[in-house]
Amino acid sequence: MGLACAFFFLSPRLSSFAEDETPTPDGLAYVVEIQGVADPELTSLLGEVSSVRQAQDTPSPSIFLLKGRAESDLAAFKDVFNSRGFFAAETRVAIDQQTAPVKVIFQVTLGDVFVLREVRFTLPEGEENRKVDFPTPKDLGLGINAPFSAKAVLAAQETLLRRFQEQGRPFPDVADRRITADFAAHAVTVLWRVDPGPDATFGETDIEGLTEVNPAVVRREIPWSVGQPYDIRLVEQLRTRLMALGLFSSIEAQPNRELDAKDRATVVLRLLERKHRTFKGGVDYKSDEGPGFTLGWEHRNLFGQGEKLSLSTGASPIRQYGEAVFELPALWHPRQKLTTKARYANEELEAYVGENFTATTLLRREMGDHLSAAAGLGYRLSIISEDKSRPWESGKDYHFVFVPMEMAYDSRDDPLDPQKGFLTSLSLAPYAGADGQSAFVRPELNAAFYWRLFDSPDVIFANRGYLGADIGASMDELPSDLRFYAGGGGSIRGYPYQTVGPLRSKTPTGGRSVFTFSSELRVRLSEYVGVVPFLDGGTAFADALPPYQESLRFGAGLGLRVYTPIGPIRVDVATPLNRRENIDDVGQFYISIGQAF
């Protein structure tokens, strides 16, 4: 990078150096001060590039060596000032030996910040007549007459190259970048000499590294066709799709720089298969539910075509369950999969004691990068041996056939520990009882969004909301395990499990609708530790639709997160803000793996 700028001379030092340069036996202790800079971020950056500041915990052998070390920082300071647009900044360095410890003083005169006056582009020699549409400075994120920033210029260069890669030119290159500072006008001109590279389309895709996975599994994920103009976004989309399969530990996709006779670029895909079988387990503890564990086994390439079989089980004092899930990808369409799930649970809760079995088959279609839709068929058997709030309903069996339908939008960057994005799902399931009389519709809305507030410290604002209802059924027609409950570690922390909502004496009756929400401020204090203040709220309602008689209840608390390679370990302590006498304790605590939502 060329840089044209005026020269300036350092002013005389604020105080002279001592003539006695005899090494000090124990070393010379000193501190560093940077004066004349009001911006804390700029001061911090100067401290980071200053060798004398970085070494101030180690005494200098002599004044002479301290002087040399301090003066060597001036060039680094100049680079920092230039990067922020202070091309005319001057720095004087002095050593005050009258203090203990000795002071090394950098006195800075910043001057005015230079502004970006002009952005120009040229082509390599011999290609001056080639037709190329260059982006505007605004397209590159640069503001004309705005303060100059080297960081913004570097980011603009990356944007410039990427625009060419998105528009059919896979191999652009910046041959030269020149930044010229006009000291009279306090303005900067940026000139890029750019070689856009050849125009190219997608050619064939070479796949390397497969051992057990059928190549057809990879090829069905390719989002482009041969002859389509090259677009780096489609290559990135392929990486994302392949990573989502869970079949590969390493994915590299690069276009071959040698184009064929039709100017087509072959994309070389290098894959490293991960182990296709995984055992996993987890433990947790909730003060209102007791200890629990989960075990799981998964095979992600059961018959060589990316089929997935998952088996899991879990147990706690109040619930034991077993579940099997089979996924068949690319059924009738590359972006469509069939999921069949069977689940059995035995439950002994404050509200009821019973067993239930659910089997569903769901066909899901991806309708874009983040949007999907699903529909299917399901069966549910509920055996309620004891309904504690409605004993006359005990000993009943309930059989339902239902039709689950769902729309989902998921733009989260990480399903296990999201930093940004949305997760929203709207489901609707008509239920019909085997007796031919019981029928109702169960709509549910789940929504969560994650917003990064700050990068340093790392602060994420996370929110979740849930709405559900059983419309068209009376309480007598609903088994206890299909009613809605609130309270506990999965909904409103601080309250005992299932106790927020309608009660008969102290026993939860369940409701025909529910609303809950959670808000968390996830503050990551270091690489391994974070804290999370949170607020939860909501309740279950006796009626399916408004008006409701129940009031919302709220719980608040503080969580500790310990970040590990398998996910964050979560410890939450919460207290009910609307505490009920003889029902709610002063607080509850929860220990598990993974974020709350």
Side-chain angles (χ1 to χ4, degrees), residues 127-317:
E127 297 192 21
E128 292 85 356
N129 296 326
R130 181 179 178 184
K131 181 175 175 54
V132 176
D133 293 326
F134 286 102
T136 65
K138 184 178 180 181
D139 292 335
L140 298 178
L142 297 175
I144 298 300
N145 295 322
F148 173 84
S149 166
K151 182 178 180 181
V153 170
L154 293 175
Q157 180 170 305
E158 294 300 316
T159 302
L160 172 65
L161 295 176
R162 183 174 178 84
R163 284 177 66 92
F164 286 124
Q165 292 175 314
E166 293 175 354
Q167 298 171 359
R169 297 183 175 102
F171 312 115
D173 182 48
V174 172
D176 190 17
R177 180 182 69 240
R178 295 186 181 181
I179 299 175
T180 305
D182 184 340
F183 281 71
H186 282 202
V188 178
T189 298
V190 180
L191 169 66
W192 274 292
R193 187 182 300 277
V194 183
D195 180 3
D199 295 310
T201 59
F202 282 109
E204 298 297 331
T205 302
D206 289 346
I207 303 174
E208 302 175 1
L210 295 183
T211 56
E212 297 182 30
V213 177
N214 192 306
V217 175
V218 177
R219 294 197 179 277
R220 71 189 180 210
E221 301 295 333
I222 297 175
W224 62 79
S225 56
V226 174
Q228 183 177 345
Y230 181 87
D231 189 336
I232 192 174
R233 291 171 295 186
L234 296 178
V235 179
E236 293 170 344
Q237 185 180 24
L238 173 61
R239 290 195 195 100
T240 301
R241 288 182 177 181
L242 293 177
M243 189 60 69
L245 297 178
L247 298 173
F248 308 104
S249 59
S250 176
I251 301 171
E252 295 182 12
Q254 296 291 339
N256 195 322
R257 297 189 71 91
E258 295 183 7
L259 306 183
D260 65 13
K262 296 182 179 180
D263 291 330
R264 296 183 301 193
T266 298
V267 176
V268 180
L269 193 58
R270 298 182 177 90
L271 305 172
L272 181 63
E273 293 186 23
R274 61 182 291 196
K275 293 181 178 179
H276 301 311
R277 300 168 183 81
T278 301
F279 286 94
K280 53 187 175 182
V283 295
D284 59 34
Y285 183 85
K286 302 172 183 176
S287 55
D288 55 348
E289 298 182 37
F293 76 89
T294 59
L295 292 175
W297 175 85
E298 183 178 83
H299 196 311
R300 291 173 294 277
N301 193 42
L302 193 62
F303 303 120
Q305 299 288 335
E307 305 91 346
K308 182 187 295 185
L309 175 64
S310 302
L311 304 175
S312 61
T313 185
S316 71

Side-chain angles (χ1 to χ4, degrees), residues 526-569:
S526 69
E527 181 180 358
Y528 300 107
V529 178
V531 295
V532 179
F534 58 84
L535 175 69
D536 298 344
T539 191
F541 304 97
D543 296 316
L545 297 172
Y548 300 122
Q549 303 298 317
E550 293 78 12
S551 300
L552 299 183
R553 297 191 179 276
F554 303 91
L558 183 66
L560 173 69
R561 302 292 182 269
V562 178
Y563 298 96
T564 71
I566 61 173
I569 297 175

Side-chain angles (χ1 to χ4, degrees), residues 497-544:
Y497 183 61
Q498 290 192 336
T499 64
V500 181
L503 302 173
R504 176 169 281 113
S505 183
K506 298 180 183 179
T507 304
T509 67
R512 291 191 291 159
S513 60
V514 70
F515 164 66
T516 62
F517 76 88
S518 297
S519 290
E520 294 189 344
L521 201 62
R522 299 174 180 173
V523 183
R524 191 159 183 166
L525 301 177
S526 69
E527 181 180 358
Y528 300 107
V529 178
V531 295
V532 179
F534 58 84
L535 175 69
D536 298 344
T539 191
F541 304 97
D543 296 316

Side-chain angles (χ1 to χ4, degrees), residues 29-79:
Y30 68 91
V31 294
V32 176
E33 290 186 3
I34 300 175
Q35 301 177 356
V37 180
D39 183 355
E41 183 180 352
L42 182 55
T43 301
S44 176
L45 184 57
L46 292 172
E48 291 176 9
V49 303
S50 170
S51 61
V52 71
R53 165 67 73 83
Q54 295 300 314
Q56 71 178 1
D57 292 336
T58 303
S60 176
S62 70
I63 287 290
F64 176 77
L65 292 176
L66 182 60
K67 168 190 173 182
R69 186 186 297 171
E71 290 189 334
S72 70
D73 284 341
L74 297 179
F77 278 26
K78 186 62 178 174
D79 290 340

